[in-house]
Amino acid sequence: MTAAAPRAPRWPPEENATRIRSVSRQGELDVLRMVLEEQYARHHTQLALLARQGTWPDPTAGADTAAALTAASRRALDDLARALRHLDQGRYGTCQRCRTDIPIECLAHRPAARFCPRCDAASTRR
């Protein structure tokens, strides 16, 4: 009679699933980092172009449009810088209110999201 080959230790199924989700989520967060960095570069470039452009052909309409675009780009840069900082600190993708993971699908749609869908909906109802 031959001895059975030793079996590799198995993690409890729930722990194994958690490990797989963790690795998968980290890979997805790495992809989102690239998206955030690209968006940051795009908004930074847009701000530089707006500053260089100076005046528009129609000074009244052009100034309003340039001011609106500048303000929107600055807000986006602030949001993106915060998201990149949170990525570096290992806090990206965690709801700032309830501390649960924000679903990857939500982060892919709004990479600078700070709240999970439930907390976001609760804050808009107030």
Side-chain angles (χ1 to χ4, degrees):
M1 205 175 201
T2 61
R7 295 179 79 176
R10 294 189 176 196
W11 298 102
E14 61 278 354
E15 189 175 324
N16 200 24
T18 301
R19 286 173 180 250
I20 291 170
R21 274 194 306 271
S22 176
V23 169
S24 174
R25 183 166 175 88
Q26 186 56 50
E28 291 169 328
L29 290 176
D30 290 343
V31 171
L32 285 174
R33 175 188 290 278
M34 290 186 291
V35 171
L36 289 167
E37 289 170 345
E38 288 172 5
Q39 289 180 354
Y40 188 91
R42 184 169 33 94
H43 284 287
H44 190 273
T45 301
Q46 183 175 6
L47 272 177
L49 290 172
L50 285 167
R52 225 183 290 158
Q53 190 165 1
T55 60
W56 293 55
D58 178 1
T60 57
D64 292 344
T65 302
L69 288 172
T70 299
S73 286
R74 285 189 177 139
R75 278 192 306 275
L77 280 174
D78 288 345
D79 288 344
L80 294 165
R82 181 184 312 109
L84 288 166
R85 226 178 12 259
H86 284 191
L87 255 169
D88 290 340
Q89 298 166 348
R91 297 186 305 151
Y92 179 72
T94 302
C95 178
Q96 290 183 353
R97 184 165 293 130
C98 70
R99 303 290 183 229
T100 61
D101 284 344
I102 299 172
I104 291 293
E105 300 79 30
C106 294
L107 293 171
H109 179 67
R110 287 184 38 220
R114 296 184 296 160
F115 303 105
C116 70
R118 191 176 79 215
C119 291
D120 198 31
S123 68
T124 57
R125 280 184 270 167
R126 291 180 184 174

